Amino acid sequence: MSSILLVIPSDVIGSYSSPRDKIVITGEFDDWQHSDYVLQYDEKEGYKVMIPRLNGKEKALFKFLINDN
């Protein structure tokens, strides 16, 4: 299974959290487990994480959890 590098600019998430917060992405690609894909903060690029690509799908449902909420 191939992966996708997801990069989210700091100003998009910055109004909801800070670099000290734990931000996780979860969705169809991990059966909503919300534990494996923690975003890493990069001062230049924003928040980054590698997520698996869903074979045969163009779209996927997902959500972000900040500090497990």
Side-chain angles (χ1 to χ4, degrees):
M1 183 182 319
S2 62
S3 296
I4 300 169
L5 175 60
L6 177 64
V7 180
I8 303 164
S10 297
D11 58 338
V12 173
I13 292 183
S15 60
Y16 301 101
S17 70
S18 76
R20 295 181 307 276
D21 292 323
K22 177 184 174 187
I23 304 172
V24 176
I25 186 171
T26 187
E28 295 175 312
F29 56 87
D30 71 345
D31 292 325
W32 304 97
Q33 295 298 309
H34 62 80
S35 61
D36 295 334
Y37 301 97
V38 179
L39 280 72
Q40 301 299 313
Y41 179 71
D42 179 284
E43 195 171 300
K44 293 180 183 178
E45 296 184 72
Y47 295 86
K48 302 188 307 185
V49 67
M50 294 292 290
I51 57 173
R53 181 183 305 270
L54 290 171
N55 293 329
K57 286 192 152 190
E58 291 183 24
K59 297 179 182 181
L61 293 174
F62 66 91
K63 68 179 178 178
F64 293 104
L65 292 158
I66 300 173
N67 297 325
D68 297 321
N69 291 314

